[in-house]
Amino acid sequence: MLIGIDWGGTKIEGVAMEPDGHELLRLRQDTPRHDYFGCIRMIKEMIEGLETQTGRSGSVGIGIPGSLEPVSRLGKGASSTWLLGRPVEKNLNDIIQRELRIENDADCFAASEAVDGAGADHNVVFAVILGSGAGAGIAIGGKAHHGPNNSGGEWGHNPLPFPDVTEISGRPCYCGRHGCMETWVSGRAFEAEYTRHTGEELKARAIIEKKRAGDRLCGLLWDRYVDRVARGLATVVNTLDPDVLVMGGGMSNVDELYDDLPPALAKRTFSTVFHTPIKRALHGDSSGVRGAAWLWRD
């Protein structure tokens, strides 16, 4: 069987799958945040639990919230900052003591949707995550693509294109820069925008419900949010022109995104036509863990 582990910032999830993608068992626990070795021990115990409860052994793929520097194999670009500079691959191998395949979690998400999800009929899949952060993964021919720097799909840490005077110089990002896409289009950024205007804290879902009920401010904030997503993705379409855009993360669950984003994106691309389908991830929050399992698909 195939075992996938999604090492997320808020939860660690494991799945045991048949080679055809049929799920046998799924386990999930809250991430012990800022406890690096606690996370690794939890992953080891989760793998053991999946194998014990299914009575089978399996290959192990792990999606991490960041990536590995190609030469040193140290953690980099992780929103879960306790991975930064750590010998993640070595520590996982030392404790789990078996062959592992490790990739960025967004790459796993892209591969999952490319194999048997919303991008299954497309060759080049750009899979966007609009969640507590913002990122993306690229899959080509059903496999994750990351490039020689292990940085493919790091869409969330490009600057917001075409900023107006109110968006310069941008908001501070955990990566140390200002104005990253993540600070404008993540779910947290959407919530922070509402707080800046009202002084009140609301979750994204509640803001969307107020918009649907006719609240003018919430409607304007949503339009502004969609425009920022469109500006960011226009650079992707202009550069890569993927066969499909697959949307994941909490903000991808807003139904209006699939009506409002295509025309907004069409206005921002260089091409005079825009035919790229924009689809909701088929496997939702399960895509990351399934994609980790698919790392052993060959």
Side-chain angles (χ1 to χ4, degrees), residues 41-105:
R41 285 191 296 270
M42 181 176 286
I43 290 170
K44 179 179 185 291
E45 292 166 1
M46 190 167 287
I47 293 167
E48 293 171 347
L50 289 166
E51 292 188 327
T52 298
Q53 293 182 50
T54 59
R56 298 165 64 175
S57 62
S59 58
V60 179
I62 300 177
I64 65 172
S67 59
L68 301 179
E69 198 277 324
V71 178
S72 71
R73 308 301 285 173
L74 300 178
K76 71 180 183 73
S79 55
S80 298
T81 53
W82 52 97
L83 275 72
L84 296 175
R86 297 276 197 166
V88 179
E89 188 172 54
K90 181 181 186 302
N91 292 152
L92 284 168
N93 278 312
D94 286 348
I95 292 178
I96 298 173
Q97 296 189 335
R98 61 199 299 178
E99 188 177 2
L100 307 170
R101 292 185 180 177
I102 303 169
E103 291 283 1
N104 170 260
D105 53 2

Side-chain angles (χ1 to χ4, degrees), residues 1-7 13-26 50 58-64 100-105 107-109 111-112 115-116 142 286-298:
M1 67 182 181
L2 308 176
I3 292 175
I5 302 292
D6 182 15
W7 180 354
E13 187 172 17
V15 68
M17 295 192 330
E18 297 278 13
D20 65 0
H22 172 71
E23 293 189 17
L24 300 169
L25 178 65
R26 186 186 293 266
L50 289 166
S59 58
V60 179
I62 300 177
I64 65 172
L100 307 170
R101 292 185 180 177
I102 303 169
E103 291 283 1
N104 170 260
D105 53 2
D107 288 339
C108 292
F109 166 61
S112 171
V115 171
D116 63 353
S286 301
S287 260
V289 71
R290 289 177 62 87
W294 284 132
L295 292 176
W296 288 87
R297 181 166 167 255
D298 58 275

Side-chain angles (χ1 to χ4, degrees), residues 91-197:
N91 292 152
L92 284 168
N93 278 312
D94 286 348
I95 292 178
I96 298 173
Q97 296 189 335
R98 61 199 299 178
E99 188 177 2
L100 307 170
R101 292 185 180 177
I102 303 169
E103 291 283 1
N104 170 260
D105 53 2
D107 288 339
C108 292
F109 166 61
S112 171
E113 290 298 321
V115 171
D116 63 353
D121 297 327
H122 303 275
N123 184 44
V124 180
V125 177
F126 193 82
V128 181
I129 300 174
L130 300 174
S132 56
I138 303 168
I140 301 174
K143 292 191 175 183
H145 168 77
H146 44 74
N149 303 301
N150 233 357
S151 293
E154 290 290 1
W155 172 74
H157 294 282
N158 287 317
L160 177 71
F162 309 111
D164 64 28
V165 67
T166 68
E167 295 166 331
I168 298 172
S169 61
R171 301 162 186 165
C173 183
Y174 78 87
C175 73
R177 300 177 181 177
H178 283 72
C180 292
M181 285 298 303
E182 178 162 317
T183 68
W184 298 109
V185 301
S186 66
R188 288 177 179 169
F190 181 61
E191 293 166 354
E193 191 85 342
Y194 179 84
T195 300
R196 271 189 289 273
H197 282 81

